[in-house]
Amino acid sequence: MREENLTLRGMRNLLPDEKAKLNRIEGEIRRLFKIYGFQEVETPTIEPLELFELKSGEEIRHRMYRFTDLGGREVVLRPEATASIVKLVVQEMRSVPLPIKIGYVLNAFRYDEPQYGRYREFKQGGFEIFGAKSPLADAEILEISSRLMEGLGIKDYYIKIGHEGVLRAALNHFSIEESVQDRVLGLIDKERLTEAFEILGSLRKGGEAINIIRSLWEIKSRDPDEAFRRTGEVLKEIPEAVNQLENLREIIELAKASKVGEFLIDMGFARGLDYYTGMIFEVYVKNLKIAVNGGGRYDKLAGLLGWDVPAVGCAPGIDRLSLAMDEKTVPRDDLVCMIISMVKEGDIIAAKLAGMLRLTGVPTLVDYTRRDVSKALSYASKRNVKYVALIGGREVEANTVVLKNMGTGSQEELEIEQVVEKLSSYSLQKA
RNA sequence: GCCGCUGUAGCGUAACCAGGCAGCGCGGUGGCCUGUGGAGCCACUUGUCCGAGUUCGAAUCUCGGCAGCGGCCCCA
């Protein structure tokens, strides 16, 4: 019988090199949790359908892995993490002092067509701040996003940033109701302006709205001052929109103060998730056309779940960061010692030495095969082992081992305590 | 959902355009060589994604399916 492809479309087996690279990225994310005071949590992979029907956005909603479980419940594999995290905070953390800073590293699932940087199961990290309205919190999320890129050695990135509040304030000004706003912003996000304008055109004050939105959409600039000046011009008749714009200006000013990298201000930028209310952004790597991180402010989402608390956050895509990293692989953890027992009588010494080395924290392999010494050495060499301990008839007699340095080829005969002493400097420190 | 490219042993590849014995590398197994030749040598191992068509003859050309990769759309 021949096995067919037993891996599902869009799913991946992660081999040692790729997995090591992903671990490196997760490690960097967790390091930032500590530095910025985020506490890591985990939520269920499977969630009730309602949780994501609230405010996920049409695009994501119809790409969910969705099924009825054996108890008759309508469930989904989480298509993203934010809704779950908000639920966790709302349901379990009401007595924790604000602001609450939550971090996570989770997988998520979307039934998209697989392509470059897109898989049906993917991993994202996340940083979410609850209970802070200040632009300082928005700026901190940008700062973290920037530090993450630098921490991974990715220099050529920029942050595309816009403000959902500005767009919504403008639409509110023309009394356009929220569900229509969601649809229109969704279309603008997809650059389908004509369709968005058709919808607006059919409304009472639609014509004026179209002019404003079109003007905003045209403002895309790497120079924040220029972008804000032009936007201020466009919005001067709409005080609430001017307030929202001021919020974005402050956020960028604060972010600049903490050395956040290059911005691309895009006033026509909207995101596919309906829950955003303020600043929104995506991080791009030049010459890689896909976003590696995205986020923004969502002050109303928690309220829908029963606790009206403002929030801002971001979700870096771990698989995509891996694609963006210059280093193709990260160095493997080197093994320090391999013990080769050439005769049965040597096995007891091998077991004893291996036990002592491992208790000391020295990464150690035992050769189980009793193959030719030369073949065992070949294996040790390919596995990047630093030292080989050989035990043959003579060593059994003398109660010693021969320790060979694989780098230099030199070797010496030692008692096992001396081997442990010599290799103890390679001990992995306890976590 | 639509479009393009690709599919050869466990893995990586050659032969495909221009139809004619499917070859190589790595790996695995067994063996030879006094216990370090990090080797070498010998033997074995295993394959044209699935299905139809054209042809004396198909890995090769045609059609369909499936899958992988990538593009559109959207996102992480």
Side-chain angles (χ1 to χ4, degrees), chain A residues 109-128:
Chain A
F109 303 82
R110 289 183 204 166
Y111 201 85
D112 272 328
E113 281 313 301
Q115 66 182 246
Y116 186 71
R118 187 162 73 194
Y119 314 101
R120 288 181 176 177
E121 177 180 9
F122 58 97
K123 233 172 188 191
Q124 38 181 226
F127 299 80
E128 314 286 350

Side-chain angles (χ1 to χ4, degrees), chain A residues 49 51-66 76-83 108-112 118 122 124 186 189-190 271-276 282 315:
Chain A
L49 175 65
L51 182 60
F52 294 97
E53 293 221 295
L54 282 173
K55 267 291 190 186
S56 276
E58 194 47 41
E59 186 64 31
I60 286 181
R61 266 203 300 274
H62 80 259
R63 300 228 186 255
M64 291 192 291
Y65 274 89
R66 169 182 171 167
V76 297
L77 301 182
R78 59 178 165 226
E80 52 109 18
T82 306
F109 303 82
R110 289 183 204 166
Y111 201 85
D112 272 328
R118 187 162 73 194
F122 58 97
Q124 38 181 226
D189 180 37
K190 293 174 193 173
R271 301 199 76 218
L273 274 50
D274 288 344
Y275 50 66
Y276 289 111
E282 286 172 358

Side-chain angles (χ1 to χ4, degrees), chain A residues 42-54:
Chain A
E42 184 165 335
T43 59
T45 306
I46 302 177
E47 296 276 22
L49 175 65
E50 308 93 272
L51 182 60
F52 294 97
E53 293 221 295
L54 282 173

Side-chain angles (χ1 to χ4, degrees), chain A residues 138-147 157-162 220-228 248-266 269 279-284 286:
Chain A
D138 301 71
E140 188 174 290
I141 291 294
L142 295 171
E143 183 189 343
I144 289 167
S145 297
S146 219
R147 294 298 99 86
Y157 69 94
Y158 65 92
I159 300 173
K160 176 175 160 184
I161 188 164
K220 299 179 198 306
S221 171
R222 292 189 188 276
D223 174 0
D225 294 335
E226 187 219 339
F228 294 138
L248 181 59
R249 198 195 58 72
E250 273 184 65
I251 291 167
I252 302 237
E253 186 180 22
L254 293 166
K256 286 273 176 206
S258 47
K259 296 196 180 0
V260 172
E262 192 177 328
F263 285 104
L264 172 65
I265 314 285
D266 182 344
F269 178 33
M279 175 277 290
I280 51 176
F281 73 98
E282 286 172 358
V283 180
Y284 287 86
K286 295 170 189 171

Side-chain angles (χ1 to χ4, degrees), chain A residues 8 19 37 53 102 111 129 138 147 159 303 362 374 380 402 421:
Chain A
L8 255 18
K19 183 63 183 170
E53 293 221 295
I102 294 294
Y111 201 85
I129 303 172
D138 301 71
R147 294 298 99 86
I159 300 173
V362 176
S374 107
V402 166
E421 172 65 28

Side-chain angles (χ1 to χ4, degrees), chain A residues 219 227-237 242 245:
Chain A
I219 298 172
F228 294 138
R229 190 178 42 73
R230 285 170 59 194
T231 310
E233 253 334 270
V234 173
L235 296 175
K236 58 177 184 253
E237 308 293 325
V242 172
L245 179 63

